[in-house]
Amino acid sequence: CLGNVAADAGHGKTAGQWAVAWADMSTGGFFVAKTNRADLSALLARLAPREIIIPDAVAQAFSDASADSLEVNASINASANPPMLSPVGDLASPAAADAMRARFGVACHDALTAEGAAEGAVVTLACAHILAYFEATQYATQITLSAPRLEGDAQIMALDAATRSNLELNRTLSGTREGSLLAAIDESVTAAGARLLAARLNAPLTERALIEARLAAVGVFVADADLGADIRAHLKTTPDMARALNRLAMQRGGPRDVAAIAQGLGAARAVAARLLAASVETSHGAAGELATQIETLGRESQKLADMGAHLSAALDDSLPLLARDGGFIRDGFHAGLDEARALRDESRRIIAALQNRYGEETGIKALKIKHNGVLGFHIDVPAAHGDKLMRAPHDGVFIHRQTLASSVRFSSAELAELAGQISRAGETALALELDILADLTAQVLAARDGLDALGAALAIVDVSTALAQKARAENWVAPKLYDDCRFVIEGGRHPVVEAALRAQSAAPFIANPCVLDAAGQEGPRMSLLTGPNMAGKSTFLRQNALLAIIAQMGSFVPAAKADIGIVDRVYSRVGAADDLARGRSTFMVEMVETAAILTGAGPRALVIL
């Protein structure tokens, strides 16, 4: 998904209420949010869906509300085309409620509908349309989804499609990841951490306590560089547990996915042990959410330790990509499998041993056990010794099969049984391995809740250490957050431009201040910046918007000092661009986007023009 959320969105509409549900099939993540018509475009721009499901009854309203958002998704995604629009038949509210209860249980349904009948109905409709679409299109595969999690939209900074595009959060205006803010700040070492970092960047928080909890977690690793380095070393060995789990749940997994779970458990134990040994201070909110993750890592690692050891003992060090290739269960783990492999891999030695025994028992040194396509395994003796094996006491053991001019061929019950075992040994070994893999997979899926919790905790630790690594390496500082509307930056720097200058070994970025205050106490309510072309005006404008976003995603910021009142929306209209395909000149595009800002901006909005 190139660092973006791969989403499918379903929408319900009841008495002016809108809801958007989205799912990531690769991880099983399932989310839903309530919104309104005005904010729908910004929400879709954040999700950057690859496919959008539109119930028939709301298709026209959806199209009218979201046209601008769909166009900008082409630049947010690495695709030149907007997301695919997929219609789906309408569901009635009772049918939607029944579908959700049947799939996720009564508790989940009650949680989604807790705030009232109208709000609950629209949320349930959005989720149920995704389930219906999966059932209609993925009938050959059981799609596994976690219970939908209701997202509180009031806690997330609103960024419309034009702002995301202008600020180049995920992609540059040319559509590449390199040169975007995400590329500049991403120091994560795990796939789950990279996804979480992108999610946080695309959904900065507006609740001060939650932001400060994230900042405290980053601060722990900024203060203790050795602890951060040790944790990152363990995290680098962590595979993508979430996707491995989902492949196993969808019956598309293999031995490498089970091994990924075992490896992830080992990394989780190591991370938990290192954090606990460091005695991370958690009083007064220090470590913030890190304290919860340490507890989760310690608890779940202990609960799943036996399963992790069992998985490691079962799986070989070298694993094939596909289970049908076999050879992924460790020697000595299963006695029956070892016997089957011995017959398969050591058939020559077994046949040679039987030949020597028959030769000694009969006194015929020239006795040989051979194989051909007609008789299979058979006993071959010179013609002169044929009569001996057809007389007592050997006639009870050897069965005459064929007489030739130079030799006589026999079989025996023991050889026939051994031949059958050898011919079936390969199939038997593979069947046993597949049975063992099925048992291991069942154990893993039975522990999915704990594994999901571990994976989420590791991702949060990865993001915290990654942001701390960035802060230490480039001298970023912790922002101070306020409930008023001040925006006071000293020595601010543009993170992307600074990184580009450093990569080119060019002159360092020249830091600059910005002081604004809606109350007019710390500074003016508005600043007007003038200057010639290529003087750095756009860089300065974007820089300060990015500082607000970076701070409220829970990261240190590239500045000497940052006092920021909580920003609930950022609007950006920087640079000239036309939209000739829709008949819009550069001036018209500017006016449309400025009108959207004037319509939506509230007292806590940060606007750059």
Side-chain angles (χ1 to χ4, degrees), residues 343-344 347 371 377 416-428:
L343 287 173
R344 183 195 64 191
S347 59
H371 183 276
F377 285 101
E417 182 179 356
L418 181 59
Q421 292 175 350
I422 291 173
S423 66
R424 295 189 301 270
E427 297 177 0
T428 301

Side-chain angles (χ1 to χ4, degrees), residues 350-372:
I350 296 171
I351 292 296
L354 182 61
Q355 175 181 292
N356 291 336
R357 180 159 63 84
Y358 280 167
E360 292 175 359
E361 291 176 355
T362 61
I364 303 173
K365 294 181 180 181
L367 184 147
K368 302 293 182 183
I369 295 181
K370 299 181 179 181
H371 183 276
N372 65 31

Side-chain angles (χ1 to χ4, degrees), residues 322-393:
L322 302 175
R324 66 182 182 221
D325 294 333
F328 49 84
I329 300 299
R330 193 183 302 275
D331 290 338
F333 179 77
H334 188 280
L337 176 59
D338 290 342
E339 292 177 4
R341 284 175 170 171
L343 287 173
R344 183 195 64 191
D345 301 334
E346 302 179 21
S347 59
R348 290 184 178 179
R349 183 187 60 80
I350 296 171
I351 292 296
L354 182 61
Q355 175 181 292
N356 291 336
R357 180 159 63 84
Y358 280 167
E360 292 175 359
E361 291 176 355
T362 61
I364 303 173
K365 294 181 180 181
L367 184 147
K368 302 293 182 183
I369 295 181
K370 299 181 179 181
H371 183 276
N372 65 31
V374 178
L375 296 179
F377 285 101
H378 60 274
I379 302 159
D380 187 280
V381 298
H385 298 285
D387 291 342
K388 182 177 182 180
L389 296 185
M390 287 186 274
R391 295 194 302 265

Side-chain angles (χ1 to χ4, degrees), residues 110-136:
D110 291 345
L112 293 178
T113 59
E115 297 188 17
E119 293 84 354
V122 69
V123 168
T124 301
L125 279 170
C127 295
H129 276 108
I130 285 188
L131 296 183
Y133 184 71
F134 279 160
E135 290 178 1

Side-chain angles (χ1 to χ4, degrees), residues 35-257:
T35 185
N36 54 58
R37 187 186 181 94
D39 294 335
L40 183 58
S41 178
L43 178 57
L44 289 176
R46 169 164 71 88
L47 298 178
R50 295 296 183 87
E51 182 176 4
I52 298 178
I53 299 168
I54 313 174
D56 294 335
V58 296
Q60 184 59 47
F62 177 86
S63 177
D64 294 342
S66 312
D68 292 337
S69 174
L70 300 186
E71 291 167 9
V72 81
N73 280 333
S75 60
I76 294 175
N77 295 322
S79 169
N81 299 313
M84 181 169 66
L85 306 181
S86 303
V88 65
D90 296 314
L91 290 174
S93 292
D98 291 343
M100 292 299 293
R101 281 192 292 263
R103 182 66 179 264
F104 299 110
V106 175
C108 172
H109 175 265
D110 291 345
L112 293 178
T113 59
E115 297 188 17
E119 293 84 354
V122 69
V123 168
T124 301
L125 279 170
C127 295
H129 276 108
I130 285 188
L131 296 183
Y133 184 71
F134 279 160
E135 290 178 1
T137 61
Q138 306 292 326
Y139 54 87
T141 303
Q142 178 62 40
I143 300 297
T144 61
L145 296 173
S146 59
R149 191 173 70 189
L150 183 63
E151 182 182 90
D153 54 355
Q155 298 177 352
I156 295 176
M157 179 191 294
L159 300 167
D160 63 20
T163 298
R164 292 177 184 275
S165 178
N166 284 328
L167 295 180
E168 300 179 306
L169 297 187
N170 302 284
R171 304 277 160 195
T172 64
L173 294 176
S174 62
T176 63
R177 185 179 188 273
E178 189 65 28
S180 68
L181 177 61
L182 179 59
I185 68 172
D186 188 0
E187 299 285 344
S188 60
V189 294
T190 68
R195 289 195 297 270
L196 179 61
L197 181 69
R200 287 188 174 185
L201 175 62
N202 282 281
L205 300 175
T206 58
E207 186 169 330
R208 180 179 169 186
L210 295 178
I211 301 170
E212 290 177 340
R214 291 182 179 180
L215 290 171
V218 176
V220 169
F221 299 109
V222 171
D224 192 339
D226 291 338
L227 175 62
D230 291 345
I231 295 299
R232 285 169 66 81
H234 292 308
L235 289 172
K236 286 179 180 178
T237 66
T238 306
D240 197 339
M241 294 175 64
R243 289 186 172 171
L245 267 172
N246 212 46
R247 283 192 292 268
L248 291 172
M250 294 172 66
Q251 299 180 1
R252 293 181 177 177
R256 293 186 183 181
D257 294 308

